[in-house]
Amino acid sequence: MSDMLAAARQQEGWEGDVRTDDGWRRPLNFCDGFRHDYDADVATGGWEFIVLRPGLSIAIVDYTVNRVTVRRHRPGDNLVLSAVVSGHSLIDGDGLEGRLAHGYCTLYGLRDGDEFQTCYTPDQPLKYVSVFVERAMFAEVTGLKPDDLGGDLRDFLEARRPLLPHTVPLSGAASLVAAEIADNRMEGPFRGAFLAAKAVELACHILYVRAHSLADSMEAPAFTRADFDRLRRAKALLEHRLDEPLNIHQLARKAGLTRQKLQLGFRLLYGDTVARVRDKARMARALELVRASDLSMIQIALETGYEHPASFTRAFKAAFGHAPLTMRQLAREGVSFNAIAARPANC
């Protein structure tokens, strides 16, 4: 981290690209930072390191290595949150063991000068976003206090006790923000402003889930990574059984969770109750069938788990502002969904 900061802040003296032992670096034109592109025999793609404002930096990584590759990291006196958009990598170090994995964020904060390594597998695309928040400026950067987080995070921020790498599941909102950061194509000062806002937003999403998971674990068993995998399996089961919906007890049993963990986990990961996540999935499927199929409304109602067409019609109109027959007619007239949604319901 200190090496990257030094390189980023020396960019003013750069004249064109700078050669490294495995590629090329060039300065960014909108703030302190650089782009690193690997040599073709090392990897396809590269990464960016950007100093967004005092105490806040970000790395945007998107590459595929062409041989087994080990990288060493010295994160410095920073809280690091690495949200993986796709792919995976192993973490290894003195007393450290972990994994960067799709659908998760890995958090850590080590002593200044400590280091660890990551190992990358050939031909496996890896895309992730790492947010670096300087420990001493955490409250100023995020607006949060150590007491808001509690536990080992507070100990790291206040007493510099190492925070060993551990994973937190990415909620839908956090996954979206990470993807927006990784895929953003703005240029100039707009890109810097966008990334600064999104970096803090991503950190808040992740820290909120972690803080509430720990708070709830005082009354319920803590979530393990396997539990979060089971929660994702539960959501997939729910979405694929719309025509024969499972009740809470059945869904929990099939996913290998207790009812309490299922309900709490849905609130943490998906921001809603099991019932509301199911209802949103029903409506998404119903909209698809109404607009793109020739099934009758009775058939669509049954396929999406409604026993009575009238109940289906009421739910559909409440969700989209139009009755399903009206939605189908407008779709056949070639009206886009956005245009339909903007129309008054009595059109």
Side-chain angles (χ1 to χ4, degrees):
M1 178 67 182
S2 57
D3 294 341
M4 292 191 291
L5 280 169
R9 288 165 177 158
Q10 291 170 0
Q11 68 174 33
E12 200 170 303
W14 292 4
E15 294 183 4
D17 294 354
V18 174
R19 179 66 183 165
T20 70
D21 59 353
D22 60 3
W24 292 88
R25 289 185 181 178
R26 65 175 186 272
L28 300 175
N29 60 9
F30 61 91
C31 60
D32 289 347
F34 57 85
R35 166 80 190 180
H36 185 102
D37 287 301
Y38 287 110
D39 291 334
D41 64 325
V42 177
T44 301
W47 52 281
E48 293 178 324
F49 179 76
I50 307 161
V51 181
L52 298 169
R53 59 177 186 240
L56 180 66
S57 304
I58 194 170
I60 303 173
V61 176
D62 187 2
Y63 59 77
T64 305
V65 298
N66 296 321
R67 58 175 184 254
V68 174
T69 303
V70 176
R71 302 287 180 204
R72 302 199 71 81
H73 306 270
R74 287 186 295 162
D77 196 16
N78 291 273
L79 175 65
V80 186
L81 307 96
S82 296
V84 182
V85 178
S86 61
H88 66 272
S89 171
L90 297 177
I91 297 173
D92 184 36
D94 185 15
L96 303 179
E97 185 176 345
R99 182 182 180 91
L100 298 175
H102 170 66
Y104 292 87
C105 176
T106 299
L107 289 83
Y108 56 91
L110 307 181
R111 289 183 295 262
D112 200 10
D114 285 352
E115 65 178 32
F116 64 93
Q117 64 187 26
T118 50
C119 182
Y120 305 99
T121 305
D123 304 319
Q124 297 292 323
L126 177 65
K127 181 187 291 189
Y128 68 90
V129 174
S130 288
V131 177
F132 301 86
V133 184
E134 191 174 331
R135 185 191 58 79
M137 298 185 68
F138 178 83
E140 182 178 345
V141 169
T142 66
L144 299 170
K145 299 176 182 178
D147 283 343
D148 296 328
L149 306 172
D152 51 0
L153 261 172
R154 180 182 56 207
D155 292 341
F156 168 70
L157 294 170
E158 292 185 336
R160 298 189 180 185
R161 293 177 184 168
L163 177 67
L164 299 181
H166 62 279
T167 57
V168 173
L170 290 175
S171 65
S175 295
L176 177 61
V177 175
E180 288 176 333
I181 292 172
D183 297 330
N184 180 260
R185 293 296 178 266
M186 291 184 185
E187 297 180 354
F190 287 97
R191 185 161 189 246
F194 176 88
L195 292 177
K198 289 295 178 179
V200 174
E201 182 181 354
L202 179 60
C204 286
H205 278 303
I206 293 164
L207 294 174
Y208 179 84
V209 168
R210 186 180 188 278
H212 282 71
S213 178
L214 289 177
D216 287 319
S217 71
M218 295 174 67
E219 299 179 357
F223 284 93
T224 65
R225 179 166 171 171
D227 288 330
F228 286 115
D229 289 338
R230 294 182 186 108
L231 285 165
R232 289 191 168 92
R233 185 161 68 247
K235 186 170 182 283
L237 281 169
L238 181 151
E239 292 172 338
H240 287 90
R241 291 283 300 270
L242 295 176
D243 57 337
E244 297 179 5
L246 300 169
N247 61 39
I248 292 288
H249 292 290
Q250 292 169 327
L251 186 61
R253 186 173 65 253
K254 284 184 175 294
L257 292 163
T258 66
R259 176 174 175 167
Q260 188 178 19
K261 273 195 171 181
L262 177 71
Q263 293 173 314
L264 175 59
F266 263 60
R267 290 199 300 272
L268 287 173
L269 264 186
Y270 307 118
D272 223 327
T273 64
V274 175
R276 284 189 57 80
V277 171
R278 178 204 61 203
D279 289 343
K280 290 175 184 177
R282 281 176 164 180
M283 285 298 102
R285 178 61 175 155
L287 179 63
E288 177 186 358
L289 293 174
V290 165
R291 289 176 55 79
S293 80
D294 293 321
L295 295 178
S296 71
M297 296 305 140
I298 293 176
Q299 290 173 302
I300 294 175
L302 293 174
E303 185 158 333
T304 53
Y306 290 90
E307 295 182 2
H308 304 290
S311 299
F312 165 69
T313 298
R314 283 195 299 271
F316 190 96
K317 190 169 183 178
F320 303 113
H322 298 275
L325 284 173
T326 302
M327 183 70 78
R328 173 168 284 177
Q329 183 60 39
L330 290 170
R332 288 177 175 175
E333 292 173 2
V335 182
S336 70
F337 176 68
N338 288 338
I340 293 172
R343 292 189 177 197
N346 61 358
C347 67

